[in-house]
Amino acid sequence: MSDGQGYGGAGGQGGGYGYGYGAPPPQNPYAQPVPQNPYAQPVAPPHPYAAPQPYAAPQPYAAQPPYPEAQFAPPSAQAAPLAQPAPPAPGAAFPGPAPRRGRLAVLLQFLLQWIYAPLWILGLVLLFAVLLLADYSGSGPSSDGWLKVNRTFLPPRRLRAELTGRPEDWERYLTPILRRRIEAAEAAHAAGGGEVQADLGREVSVGLAVRLYRGLGADGVVRLAERHGWQGSLSGTDAEQVRLVRRFPAPAGLNAPSPQDPPAAAGTPWGPQPTRPALLLPFVFLLQILYVPVYGLLTFWVSRPEPDYWERWGARWTVGPRAFRAEFTDSPAAWDRHIRRILARDTARKDGSNGPPTGPGGTRLRRIRVNRATYRGAGAHQALRIAAEQGWTLDPAYTPDPANSLRLCRHEQA
């Protein structure tokens, strides 16, 4: 009984067991644990002191009371300040995958395309023949518009992607298409294409319709394009298409002679080039009446990666009425007159397609292009000298290519 009294209420009032195993105070964590005390839990909750974090404590800790009072807060209140928002995923600003199409509609389109595709092509051939017989001189429909029957044609890879809806199948279908589009756009830049920017760099772009990446999403297309050095552009990108761009810097330096330099020697890139024999020119002039329309018909259906393909090869295999006399006589005075006539024609042309926004002083930078056929017998340097008399200089946004054409610019009043 003495032992029981020693550990009971009488013992709890004695001096020897006042704060021992008799009646412990509520603050003692060893005799009567508080449920919120982390030391009484089997697994300690996340806490800066119990499990140090690799980053600095968030701001909410600074507003908390001192630690002796905060250590008994509920575990949820301790873990809340540690949660950090996840960083935005790359391409999160672009739309995700589009809604899947019905499998029945996809199968019907795949089966019926073998019937309506040949009829479509036959109708286009008949329409083209009618336009030729009617001597139609207006601008025809774009070859990248309703003339492209492949817009509604389902290849086997796309059929599988439409039926499964898996992103990996869509990526397998889109990857070769995206690579071809990018290669064509970069070839167009190498040939002088692209929009000139304020820093004289040029930007090329590629557009993809949603039918090509429906199950992958625009954000997935952007991730694929980034492997090739391209980025997605929010301008022009919506739920039905995605626009990819790449900016190329301006040429570091223009390796070209000055208009004040001595004339370039014949046979050099900037000097006069050999002209065709005078007896051959009449036959070239007559034969081009036949093969130029054939060439135009072929290029109407087949898109070349070089946007200046005709400018490059037309100067070699054709001769215009204005250049006929200059090349037939091969007279320096005739070539100079021909160059001035072409410069006057291009200067008077108010198409506005090459004019950037108005610059300081109410001027804008006008850009023109002079083809090789204009200065073949005189040389690119002589054409540059004549153009400099009218205020034209080499365009610093393009690498000089005297063997094919000259790109000139000058400031004009808007």
Side-chain angles (χ1 to χ4, degrees):
M1 295 295 295
S2 61
D3 293 341
Q5 293 176 357
Y7 289 94
Q13 297 174 3
Y17 301 96
Y19 294 96
Y21 297 92
Q27 295 83 4
N28 190 340
Y30 296 95
Q32 188 177 357
V34 181
Q36 293 83 3
N37 192 338
Y39 292 95
Q41 300 293 333
V43 179
H47 196 278
Y49 286 82
Q53 301 298 320
Y55 54 85
Q59 184 64 27
Y61 276 106
Q64 291 180 353
Y67 182 74
E69 290 79 8
Q71 65 176 340
F72 300 107
S76 59
Q78 295 179 0
L82 302 179
Q84 297 292 327
F94 298 94
R100 289 182 57 182
R101 298 176 57 195
R103 293 188 175 184
L104 180 60
V106 173
L107 291 175
L108 287 176
Q109 179 181 352
F110 182 77
L111 295 176
L112 295 177
Q113 68 185 2
W114 307 103
I115 301 175
Y116 68 74
L119 297 177
W120 193 330
I121 296 176
L122 178 61
L124 294 178
V125 172
L126 295 177
L127 176 61
F128 189 77
V130 170
L131 294 179
L132 289 180
L133 295 177
D135 194 17
Y136 180 72
S137 59
S139 59
S142 172
S143 60
D144 195 36
W146 60 279
L147 294 179
K148 288 293 183 76
V149 67
N150 63 344
R151 284 177 174 263
T152 59
F153 196 83
L154 276 176
R157 283 189 178 183
R158 182 175 158 198
L159 174 65
R160 180 179 179 181
E162 292 274 13
L163 293 178
T164 62
R166 294 188 301 225
E168 54 269 21
D169 292 336
W170 279 102
E171 181 175 347
R172 192 178 300 112
Y173 164 69
L174 177 63
T175 298
I177 299 176
L178 181 62
R179 183 176 63 251
R180 289 195 300 266
R181 298 280 184 94
I182 288 178
E183 290 176 355
E186 292 178 350
H189 169 267
E195 292 186 25
V196 180
Q197 304 299 309
D199 58 353
L200 298 182
R202 282 180 288 147
E203 180 183 279
V204 291
S205 61
V206 169
L208 296 174
V210 69
R211 70 178 185 276
L212 302 176
Y213 62 88
R214 181 182 303 276
L216 193 61
D219 53 350
V221 178
V222 172
R223 286 195 297 269
L224 291 178
E226 288 175 350
R227 302 175 185 175
H228 301 274
W230 286 62
Q231 286 102 25
S233 174
L234 291 177
S235 60
T237 300
D238 52 25
E240 296 298 327
Q241 65 176 357
V242 62
R243 182 171 178 263
L244 307 173
V245 298
R246 182 175 181 181
R247 291 192 176 187
F248 292 87
L254 301 181
N255 186 15
S258 171
Q260 292 76 26
D261 291 344
T268 61
W270 289 90
Q273 301 298 318
T275 57
R276 289 166 289 191
L279 295 179
L280 182 62
L281 287 178
F283 294 97
V284 173
F285 185 80
L286 295 176
L287 289 177
Q288 70 183 7
I289 301 176
L290 299 178
Y291 66 74
V292 167
V294 175
Y295 175 86
L297 179 63
L298 293 177
T299 55
F300 184 77
W301 296 97
V302 181
S303 59
R304 310 278 316 181
E306 301 88 355
D308 61 344
Y309 189 80
W310 175 252
E311 286 79 2
R312 289 171 179 260
W313 291 98
R316 292 171 169 83
W317 301 103
T318 61
V319 54
R322 295 181 178 180
F324 183 87
R325 181 178 180 181
E327 191 168 0
F328 186 81
T329 60
D330 199 18
S331 167
W335 279 111
D336 288 356
R337 285 194 300 270
H338 180 55
I339 294 173
R340 296 181 189 277
R341 186 164 52 242
I342 297 299
L343 287 175
R345 182 201 65 183
D346 293 345
T347 302
R349 184 178 298 166
K350 299 296 183 182
D351 51 4
S353 58
N354 296 327
T358 303
T363 61
R364 64 183 179 91
L365 194 62
R366 177 75 182 275
R367 289 184 164 91
I368 62 173
R369 179 175 181 170
V370 182
N371 297 325
R372 177 190 177 184
T374 304
Y375 56 83
R376 182 199 302 269
H381 190 201
Q382 178 63 16
L384 183 61
R385 291 162 64 97
I386 296 175
E389 299 175 359
Q390 305 178 18
W392 296 97
T393 60
L394 285 176
D395 196 335
Y398 300 89
T399 302
D401 187 18
N404 295 293
S405 63
L406 285 179
R407 293 184 177 269
L408 308 174
C409 65
R410 77 175 182 181
H411 288 277
E412 295 181 349
Q413 290 295 328

